[in-house]
Each structure stands twice: as C-alpha cells, then as structure tokens.
Amino acid sequence: MARAVAEGARSVTGTEVELNYYVAVEELAGYDAVLVGVATYHHDMPVTFKSYFEDAAVRNVSLKGKTGAAFGSYGWSGEAPKLVLEILKNKFEMIVREPPLSVKYAPDQTGLEKCFMLGRRVAESLIHEA
Ligand SMILES: Cc1cc2nc3c(=O)[nH]c(=O)nc-3n(C[C@H](O)[C@H](O)[C@H](O)COP(=O)(O)O)c2cc1C
C-alpha cells in the first residue's frame, strides 16, 4: 500500500517523495506532508505508533499546517488510520486529508489504485498551494 501511495505522489511533477519504514520524530518537521501507513490491531493502532506520537509530542515537534494522511490494511474493524488521522489533526494541528483510506487485508488492484490516488491527491494539493 505504501509503495502505491508513494507512486501516486511521485506521479505529480515537482513532488519529491521518500518512502520510509520509520522516520525519526525530529525529522518530521522537514516534510511538507506526512502520509502514515498503519494496520489495525486489537481495534487500535499498534502501541509503537502511540509511543511514536507521544515522543513527538514530548519533543514539541511542530507539524502545524503541514498536510497529513493515513492509510492501512485491516481485517474486520479498521480503526487505526482514523485514529492516527485524529491525532495528526487534533494534537499536531495538521491539515488532514479525510477520510482515511482502509483496505481489507492485502490490497487488490482496486485497493492499490485507491492508494495511488491518495498519494496523487495529496501531492496535487501541495503543488496547487505552492
Ligand atoms: C493479533 C491480531 C489482531 C488484529 N486485530 C484486528 C482488529 O481489531 N481489527 C481489524 O480490523 N483487524 C485486525 N487484525 C487484522 C489486521 O489488521 C490485518 O491482518 C492487517 O492486514 C495486518 O496488516 P499488516 O500485515 O500490514 O500488519 C488483527 C490481526 C492480528 C494478527
């Protein structure tokens, strides 16, 4: 899913995209947009994500006004991308792209196309703002 999102963003001329498994919280402020991929476990985001956002908050990482999006695969309830998006919006005051994108289990072609379009739309919104 993340590769398809990144491809979609790269398809917009003038966009620089990094696809990372992990980015140090101090480096987040160096990006115009952050698109978070997160799967749902036990009706929640994995605890590593909670610690990550807690860490960013403690270190006063400033993401205000930057663009945020969230996507992820799920099995039956799929809360995590929505929860992450709420944190990006309410705690970090990012401008978020709603709704979050959830795809059931491994994405099929349609799911990958939705991922591509998410990346593309976020990149387009940044290019139009610039
Ligand atoms: C221990 C465990 C708990 C899970 N809990 C949920 C859940 O509460 N809701 C849900 O929608 N999917 C749940 N799932 C399904 C995962 O979200 C789904 O398999 C997802 O595709 C995993 O993505 P990943 O392989 O990228 O981590 C759970 C899976 C496991 C193994």
Side-chain angles (χ1 to χ4, degrees), residues 97-129:
R97 168 142 209 117
E98 290 177 283
L101 173 59
S102 298
V103 171
K104 202 161 186 179
Y105 291 119
D108 59 10
Q109 195 52 39
T110 307
L112 291 174
E113 278 161 20
K114 287 182 182 167
C115 293
F116 183 96
M117 287 315 295
L118 172 67
R120 189 173 167 88
R121 290 201 181 107
V122 168
E124 281 173 344
S125 71
L126 292 177
I127 292 288
H128 289 147
E129 271 171 27

CSV table of all heavy atoms in Angstrom, one decimal, residues 97-129:
chain,number,residue,atom,x,y,z
A,97,ARG,N,-6.2,14.9,5.2
A,97,ARG,CA,-7.0,14.5,4.0
A,97,ARG,C,-8.0,13.4,4.6
A,97,ARG,O,-7.5,12.4,4.9
A,97,ARG,CB,-6.1,14.0,3.0
A,97,ARG,CG,-6.8,13.3,1.9
A,97,ARG,CD,-6.3,13.5,0.5
A,97,ARG,NE,-7.5,13.4,-0.3
A,97,ARG,CZ,-8.0,14.3,-1.1
A,97,ARG,NH1,-7.4,15.5,-1.2
A,97,ARG,NH2,-9.0,14.1,-1.8
A,98,GLU,N,-9.3,13.8,4.5
A,98,GLU,CA,-10.3,12.8,5.0
A,98,GLU,C,-11.1,12.3,3.9
A,98,GLU,O,-11.3,13.1,2.9
A,98,GLU,CB,-11.1,13.5,6.1
A,98,GLU,CG,-10.3,13.7,7.4
A,98,GLU,CD,-11.1,14.4,8.5
A,98,GLU,OE1,-11.2,15.6,8.4
A,98,GLU,OE2,-11.5,13.8,9.4
A,99,PRO,N,-11.7,11.1,4.0
A,99,PRO,CA,-11.5,10.2,5.0
A,99,PRO,C,-10.2,9.4,4.9
A,99,PRO,O,-9.5,9.5,3.8
A,99,PRO,CB,-12.7,9.2,4.8
A,99,PRO,CG,-12.9,9.2,3.3
A,99,PRO,CD,-12.5,10.6,2.9
A,100,PRO,N,-9.7,8.7,6.0
A,100,PRO,CA,-8.5,7.9,5.8
A,100,PRO,C,-8.8,6.7,4.9
A,100,PRO,O,-10.0,6.4,4.7
A,100,PRO,CB,-8.3,7.4,7.3
A,100,PRO,CG,-9.6,7.5,7.9
A,100,PRO,CD,-10.3,8.7,7.3
A,101,LEU,N,-7.8,6.1,4.4
A,101,LEU,CA,-8.0,5.0,3.4
A,101,LEU,C,-7.7,3.7,4.1
A,101,LEU,O,-6.6,3.4,4.6
A,101,LEU,CB,-7.1,5.2,2.2
A,101,LEU,CG,-7.0,4.0,1.2
A,101,LEU,CD1,-8.4,3.7,0.6
A,101,LEU,CD2,-6.0,4.3,0.1
A,102,SER,N,-8.8,2.8,4.1
A,102,SER,CA,-8.6,1.5,4.7
A,102,SER,C,-8.9,0.4,3.7
A,102,SER,O,-9.8,0.6,2.9
A,102,SER,CB,-9.6,1.3,5.9
A,102,SER,OG,-9.4,2.2,6.9
A,103,VAL,N,-8.0,-0.6,3.6
A,103,VAL,CA,-8.2,-1.7,2.6
A,103,VAL,C,-8.2,-3.0,3.4
A,103,VAL,O,-7.3,-3.2,4.2
A,103,VAL,CB,-7.1,-1.6,1.6
A,103,VAL,CG1,-7.1,-2.9,0.7
A,103,VAL,CG2,-7.1,-0.4,0.7
A,104,LYS,N,-9.1,-3.8,3.0
A,104,LYS,CA,-9.3,-5.1,3.8
A,104,LYS,C,-8.1,-6.1,3.4
A,104,LYS,O,-8.0,-6.4,2.2
A,104,LYS,CB,-10.6,-5.7,3.5
A,104,LYS,CG,-11.0,-6.7,4.5
A,104,LYS,CD,-12.5,-7.0,4.5
A,104,LYS,CE,-12.9,-7.8,5.7
A,104,LYS,NZ,-14.4,-8.1,5.7
A,105,TYR,N,-7.4,-6.5,4.4
A,105,TYR,CA,-6.3,-7.5,4.2
A,105,TYR,C,-5.4,-7.0,3.1
A,105,TYR,O,-5.2,-5.8,2.9
A,105,TYR,CB,-6.7,-8.9,4.0
A,105,TYR,CG,-7.4,-9.5,5.2
A,105,TYR,CD1,-8.7,-9.9,5.3
A,105,TYR,CD2,-6.6,-9.5,6.4
A,105,TYR,CE1,-9.3,-10.4,6.5
A,105,TYR,CE2,-7.2,-10.0,7.6
A,105,TYR,CZ,-8.5,-10.4,7.6
A,105,TYR,OH,-9.0,-10.9,8.8
A,106,ALA,N,-4.8,-7.9,2.3
A,106,ALA,CA,-3.8,-7.4,1.3
A,106,ALA,C,-4.6,-6.7,0.1
A,106,ALA,O,-5.6,-7.2,-0.3
A,106,ALA,CB,-3.1,-8.6,0.7
A,107,PRO,N,-4.1,-5.6,-0.3
A,107,PRO,CA,-4.9,-4.8,-1.3
A,107,PRO,C,-4.9,-5.5,-2.7
A,107,PRO,O,-3.9,-6.1,-3.1
A,107,PRO,CB,-4.1,-3.5,-1.4
A,107,PRO,CG,-2.8,-3.8,-0.9
A,107,PRO,CD,-2.9,-4.9,0.1
A,108,ASP,N,-6.1,-5.5,-3.3
A,108,ASP,CA,-6.2,-6.0,-4.7
A,108,ASP,C,-5.9,-4.8,-5.6
A,108,ASP,O,-5.5,-3.7,-5.1
A,108,ASP,CB,-7.5,-6.6,-5.0
A,108,ASP,CG,-8.7,-5.6,-4.7
A,108,ASP,OD1,-8.4,-4.4,-4.5
A,108,ASP,OD2,-9.9,-6.1,-4.8
A,109,GLN,N,-6.1,-5.0,-6.9
A,109,GLN,CA,-5.8,-3.9,-7.9
A,109,GLN,C,-6.6,-2.6,-7.5
A,109,GLN,O,-6.0,-1.5,-7.5
A,109,GLN,CB,-6.1,-4.4,-9.3
A,109,GLN,CG,-5.5,-3.5,-10.4
A,109,GLN,CD,-4.0,-3.2,-10.2
A,109,GLN,OE1,-3.2,-4.1,-9.8
A,109,GLN,NE2,-3.5,-2.0,-10.4
A,110,THR,N,-7.8,-2.8,-7.2
A,110,THR,CA,-8.7,-1.6,-6.8
A,110,THR,C,-8.1,-0.9,-5.6
A,110,THR,O,-8.1,0.3,-5.5
A,110,THR,CB,-10.1,-2.1,-6.6
A,110,THR,OG1,-10.5,-2.8,-7.7
A,110,THR,CG2,-11.1,-0.9,-6.4
A,111,GLY,N,-7.7,-1.7,-4.6
A,111,GLY,CA,-7.1,-1.1,-3.4
A,111,GLY,C,-5.9,-0.4,-3.7
A,111,GLY,O,-5.6,0.7,-3.2
A,112,LEU,N,-5.0,-1.0,-4.5
A,112,LEU,CA,-3.8,-0.3,-4.9
A,112,LEU,C,-4.0,1.0,-5.7
A,112,LEU,O,-3.3,2.0,-5.5
A,112,LEU,CB,-2.9,-1.2,-5.7
A,112,LEU,CG,-2.3,-2.4,-4.9
A,112,LEU,CD1,-1.6,-3.3,-5.9
A,112,LEU,CD2,-1.4,-1.9,-3.8
A,113,GLU,N,-5.1,1.0,-6.5
A,113,GLU,CA,-5.4,2.2,-7.2
A,113,GLU,C,-5.9,3.3,-6.3
A,113,GLU,O,-5.6,4.5,-6.4
A,113,GLU,CB,-6.5,1.9,-8.3
A,113,GLU,CG,-5.9,1.3,-9.6
A,113,GLU,CD,-6.9,0.6,-10.4
A,113,GLU,OE1,-8.1,0.9,-10.3
A,113,GLU,OE2,-6.5,-0.2,-11.3
A,114,LYS,N,-6.6,2.9,-5.2
A,114,LYS,CA,-7.1,3.9,-4.2
A,114,LYS,C,-5.8,4.5,-3.5
A,114,LYS,O,-5.8,5.6,-3.2
A,114,LYS,CB,-8.0,3.2,-3.2
A,114,LYS,CG,-9.4,2.9,-3.8
A,114,LYS,CD,-10.3,2.3,-2.7
A,114,LYS,CE,-11.6,2.0,-3.3
A,114,LYS,NZ,-12.4,1.2,-2.5
A,115,CYS,N,-4.9,3.6,-3.2
A,115,CYS,CA,-3.6,4.1,-2.6
A,115,CYS,C,-2.9,5.1,-3.5
A,115,CYS,O,-2.5,6.1,-3.1
A,115,CYS,CB,-2.7,2.9,-2.3
A,115,CYS,SG,-3.3,1.8,-1.1
A,116,PHE,N,-2.8,4.7,-4.8
A,116,PHE,CA,-2.1,5.6,-5.7
A,116,PHE,C,-2.8,6.9,-5.8
A,116,PHE,O,-2.2,8.0,-5.7
A,116,PHE,CB,-2.2,4.9,-7.1
A,116,PHE,CG,-1.5,5.7,-8.2
A,116,PHE,CD1,-0.2,5.4,-8.6
A,116,PHE,CD2,-2.2,6.7,-8.9
A,116,PHE,CE1,0.4,6.1,-9.6
A,116,PHE,CE2,-1.5,7.4,-9.9
A,116,PHE,CZ,-0.2,7.1,-10.3
A,117,MET,N,-4.2,6.9,-5.8
A,117,MET,CA,-4.9,8.2,-5.9
A,117,MET,C,-4.8,9.0,-4.6
A,117,MET,O,-4.8,10.2,-4.6
A,117,MET,CB,-6.4,7.9,-6.2
A,117,MET,CG,-6.6,7.5,-7.6
A,117,MET,SD,-5.8,8.4,-8.9
A,117,MET,CE,-6.5,10.0,-8.7
A,118,LEU,N,-4.6,8.3,-3.4
A,118,LEU,CA,-4.4,9.1,-2.2
A,118,LEU,C,-3.1,9.9,-2.3
A,118,LEU,O,-3.1,11.1,-2.0
A,118,LEU,CB,-4.4,8.1,-1.0
A,118,LEU,CG,-4.0,8.8,0.3
A,118,LEU,CD1,-5.0,9.8,0.8
A,118,LEU,CD2,-3.7,7.7,1.4
A,119,GLY,N,-2.0,9.2,-2.7
A,119,GLY,CA,-0.7,9.8,-2.8
A,119,GLY,C,-0.8,10.9,-3.9
A,119,GLY,O,-0.3,12.0,-3.6
A,120,ARG,N,-1.5,10.7,-4.9
A,120,ARG,CA,-1.6,11.7,-6.0
A,120,ARG,C,-2.3,12.9,-5.6
A,120,ARG,O,-1.9,14.0,-5.8
A,120,ARG,CB,-2.2,11.0,-7.2
A,120,ARG,CG,-2.2,11.9,-8.5
A,120,ARG,CD,-2.7,11.3,-9.7
A,120,ARG,NE,-2.8,12.3,-10.7
A,120,ARG,CZ,-1.9,12.7,-11.5
A,120,ARG,NH1,-0.7,12.1,-11.5
A,120,ARG,NH2,-2.1,13.7,-12.4
A,121,ARG,N,-3.4,12.7,-4.9
A,121,ARG,CA,-4.2,13.9,-4.5
A,121,ARG,C,-3.5,14.7,-3.4
A,121,ARG,O,-3.6,15.9,-3.5
A,121,ARG,CB,-5.6,13.4,-3.9
A,121,ARG,CG,-6.5,12.8,-5.0
A,121,ARG,CD,-7.9,12.8,-4.6
A,121,ARG,NE,-8.7,12.2,-5.8
A,121,ARG,CZ,-9.2,11.0,-5.7
A,121,ARG,NH1,-9.1,10.3,-4.7
A,121,ARG,NH2,-9.9,10.6,-6.8
A,122,VAL,N,-2.8,14.1,-2.5
A,122,VAL,CA,-2.1,14.8,-1.5
A,122,VAL,C,-1.0,15.6,-2.2
A,122,VAL,O,-0.8,16.8,-1.9
A,122,VAL,CB,-1.4,13.9,-0.4
A,122,VAL,CG1,-0.4,14.6,0.4
A,122,VAL,CG2,-2.5,13.3,0.4
A,123,ALA,N,-0.3,15.0,-3.1
A,123,ALA,CA,0.8,15.7,-3.9
A,123,ALA,C,0.2,16.9,-4.7
A,123,ALA,O,0.8,18.0,-4.7
A,123,ALA,CB,1.6,14.8,-4.8
A,124,GLU,N,-0.9,16.6,-5.3
A,124,GLU,CA,-1.6,17.7,-6.1
A,124,GLU,C,-2.0,18.9,-5.2
A,124,GLU,O,-1.8,20.0,-5.6
A,124,GLU,CB,-2.8,17.2,-6.8
A,124,GLU,CG,-2.5,16.4,-8.1
A,124,GLU,CD,-3.7,15.7,-8.7
A,124,GLU,OE1,-4.7,15.6,-8.0
A,124,GLU,OE2,-3.6,15.2,-9.8
A,125,SER,N,-2.5,18.6,-4.0
A,125,SER,CA,-2.9,19.7,-3.2
A,125,SER,C,-1.7,20.5,-2.7
A,125,SER,O,-1.8,21.7,-2.6
A,125,SER,CB,-3.7,19.1,-1.9
A,125,SER,OG,-2.8,18.5,-1.1
A,126,LEU,N,-0.5,19.9,-2.6
A,126,LEU,CA,0.7,20.6,-2.2
A,126,LEU,C,1.2,21.5,-3.3
A,126,LEU,O,1.5,22.6,-3.1
A,126,LEU,CB,1.8,19.7,-1.8
A,126,LEU,CG,1.5,18.9,-0.5
A,126,LEU,CD1,2.7,17.9,-0.2
A,126,LEU,CD2,1.4,19.8,0.7
A,127,ILE,N,1.1,20.9,-4.5
A,127,ILE,CA,1.6,21.6,-5.7
A,127,ILE,C,0.7,22.9,-6.0
A,127,ILE,O,1.2,23.9,-6.2
A,127,ILE,CB,1.6,20.7,-6.9
A,127,ILE,CG1,2.7,19.6,-6.8
A,127,ILE,CG2,1.9,21.5,-8.2
A,127,ILE,CD1,4.1,20.1,-6.9
A,128,HIS,N,-0.6,22.7,-5.8
A,128,HIS,CA,-1.5,23.8,-6.0
A,128,HIS,C,-1.3,24.9,-5.0
A,128,HIS,O,-1.5,26.1,-5.3
A,128,HIS,CB,-3.0,23.3,-6.0
A,128,HIS,CG,-3.3,22.5,-7.2
A,128,HIS,ND1,-4.2,21.4,-7.2
A,128,HIS,CD2,-2.8,22.6,-8.5
A,128,HIS,CE1,-4.2,20.9,-8.4
A,128,HIS,NE2,-3.4,21.6,-9.2
A,129,GLU,N,-1.0,24.5,-3.8
A,129,GLU,CA,-0.7,25.5,-2.7
A,129,GLU,C,0.5,26.3,-3.0
A,129,GLU,O,0.6,27.5,-2.5
A,129,GLU,CB,-0.5,24.8,-1.4
A,129,GLU,CG,-1.8,24.6,-0.6
A,129,GLU,CD,-1.5,23.7,0.6
A,129,GLU,OE1,-0.4,23.7,1.1
A,129,GLU,OE2,-2.4,23.0,1.0
